[in-house]
Amino acid sequence: MSARGASNAPRGSQLPAQEKVSNELFTLTYGAMVRQLLHDFETVEEVNAELDAMGARIGSRLVDDFLANAQGVRCADFKSAADSVARVGFRSLLGVTARVGAWSETSDAGSGPSACSIYFEENPITDFVELPRGLEELSYCNVLCGVIRGALEQIGMHVTVVVVKDMLKGADGNELRLTLKEHAAETYPFKDDD
Amino acid sequence: MSASLVSVLSLYVINKSGGLIYNRDFVQRAAGRIDVSDAMRLGSIWFSLHAIAAQLSPTPNAKTLKSLHADTFHLHCLHVPSGTTFFIITNVPAPNQAQQHAQRAADVLQAVYAAYAKYVLRNPFYETEMPIRCELFDAALSALLSR
């Protein structure tokens, strides 16, 4: 199915050739951007918030890219969506292998778990990064949290994503914690309409 | 796989609040050309019909309208989880090809969705939910749908 989708890819003369850039360019660009944010904002908390907001804007666009190309991905409920993010999203968009675990207990019958963790060890955006003293509060990869939050928001799931473990701070792996706040599937037709 | 099985006459894209953000005809229409306001009306009516039809289903979370068949054209629709709706107007297949036609139309819609994700959403100056004016998207659709 996806192979056929690829063969449908347009090859008009005006369309840009699909070239991959080196991931070092991406890593260094991201580093420069974080550095600039640290320069522009007063506090590290503001930088963390800005990285999260940037990520959310990326995620809200990226979700369609992901859904259009990864066919057969299920995202009807929080469990399958989180699973897709970790297994397919991290692999196809970041090139790393991630696992999901630490599902919360199902709160009430049928609604499924409402929190889980995504674990991964490799992280290309931190390849050359050593956090200096004084920036212990910086959540360097907060953009990933934002991307996940923004992407899931587009499909009606409002989640909070926080970095629980960060290898830049000496942890043995990275862990992002996802918590589902609200799942409102379709918005239209609005029930409170007159 | 026969490429001529589905001939796409028009494409419409509707945003998640029912506004028409893109429409384009791929063949010259013999009669009854649809003007801009007709196209917007068609987009919002299909969007509403599509949303309300889901409530006709006796089971919750049902998929809703996928196609509409008329004597002289078929309408095929793809509603993606992020809320955008794509629909195409196609030719009517020969009776023995109805199933391949529907499958092929679904593939075409999926390819249109991929082009939208690639050439519209990746454009940093495209404002989401606003009318699509992206030359690359136009070119991609021409390569995909015109013959």
Side-chain angles (χ1 to χ4, degrees):
Chain A
M1 194 75 172
S2 58
R4 186 190 294 154
S7 72
N8 281 338
R11 274 179 221 92
S13 54
Q14 303 172 41
L15 300 176
Q18 290 302 301
E19 286 169 17
K20 306 273 181 206
V21 299
S22 117
N23 64 7
E24 284 191 14
L25 174 65
F26 170 67
T27 303
L28 298 176
T29 308
Y30 183 70
M33 192 191 75
V34 174
R35 202 62 221 272
Q36 183 65 38
L37 290 177
L38 285 167
H39 184 78
D40 288 350
F41 287 93
E42 304 275 323
T43 65
V44 173
E45 285 73 34
E46 283 177 293
V47 174
N48 288 343
E50 183 61 20
L51 286 173
D52 185 76
M54 279 180 174
R57 291 195 291 271
I58 297 172
S60 68
R61 288 172 177 241
L62 207 55
V63 66
D64 278 306
D65 217 87
F66 176 62
L67 292 169
N69 294 307
Q71 294 180 14
V73 164
R74 289 175 33 79
C75 53
D77 53 40
F78 177 67
K79 191 169 194 302
S80 56
D83 217 49
S84 304
V85 166
R87 285 169 196 275
V88 189
F90 270 68
R91 195 185 61 227
S92 63
L93 299 169
L94 205 56
V96 305
T97 313
R99 305 180 309 284
V100 204
W103 295 99
S104 66
E105 293 294 315
T106 301
S107 47
D108 43 88
S111 70
S114 64
C116 69
S117 289
I118 294 180
Y119 303 95
F120 55 102
E121 277 79 40
E122 261 182 289
N123 187 356
I125 64 177
T126 58
D127 272 352
F128 311 108
V129 180
E130 297 171 30
L131 276 191
R133 262 173 223 271
L135 287 183
E136 288 84 1
E137 291 304 308
L138 177 66
S139 185
Y140 190 84
C141 299
N142 232 18
V143 73
L144 297 181
C145 299
V147 170
I148 297 172
R149 182 169 67 82
L152 291 181
E153 204 162 272
Q154 286 291 307
I155 56 169
M157 294 176 203
H158 298 270
V159 295
T160 51
V161 188
V162 290
V163 179
V164 182
K165 281 190 195 168
D166 190 341
M167 286 171 84
L168 289 176
K169 294 168 189 167
D172 53 357
N174 296 304
E175 177 180 349
L176 304 180
R177 187 76 183 159
L178 277 64
T179 311
L180 181 68
K181 287 185 298 187
E182 192 190 355
H183 186 187
E186 291 288 316
T187 50
Y188 184 88
F190 304 107
K191 282 298 174 204
D192 53 357
D193 250 357
D194 51 2
Chain B
M1 162 159 265
S2 162
S4 58
L5 190 56
V6 172
S7 121
V8 177
L9 310 178
S10 316
L11 164 72
Y12 294 79
V13 184
I14 311 170
N15 69 12
K16 66 173 70 135
S17 31
L20 183 77
I21 54 173
Y22 190 83
N23 76 301
R24 182 166 157 198
D25 292 334
F26 293 91
V27 290
Q28 290 293 324
R29 288 175 171 276
R33 203 178 152 70
I34 285 191
D35 68 19
V36 179
S37 58
D38 285 340
M40 289 172 74
R41 206 173 295 131
L42 172 63
S44 62
I45 289 171
W46 178 259
F47 175 82
S48 315
L49 188 63
H50 184 272
I52 289 168
Q55 302 184 339
L56 295 174
S57 164
T59 56
N61 302 325
K63 295 271 189 279
T64 173
L65 301 180
K66 291 199 304 204
S67 61
L68 178 148
H69 296 183
D71 283 348
T72 53
F73 69 90
H74 281 189
L75 182 158
H76 293 272
C77 175
L78 172 69
H79 180 71
V80 302
S82 55
T84 311
T85 306
F86 300 83
F87 67 89
I88 52 175
I89 312 294
T90 71
N91 61 327
V92 178
N96 60 343
Q97 290 183 319
Q99 204 165 5
Q100 298 105 295
H101 177 87
Q103 179 57 47
R104 177 80 187 121
D107 291 348
V108 167
L109 281 165
Q110 193 68 37
V112 169
Y113 179 31
Y116 165 78
K118 192 164 177 181
Y119 297 110
V120 177
L121 294 179
R122 282 187 190 178
N123 177 356
F125 295 105
Y126 170 70
E127 303 243 9
T128 50
E129 311 300 318
M130 297 303 281
I132 300 169
R133 287 192 196 83
C134 299
E135 285 182 17
L136 287 175
F137 184 57
D138 290 336
L141 291 177
S142 297
L144 191 67
L145 301 176
S146 306
R147 266 180 301 281

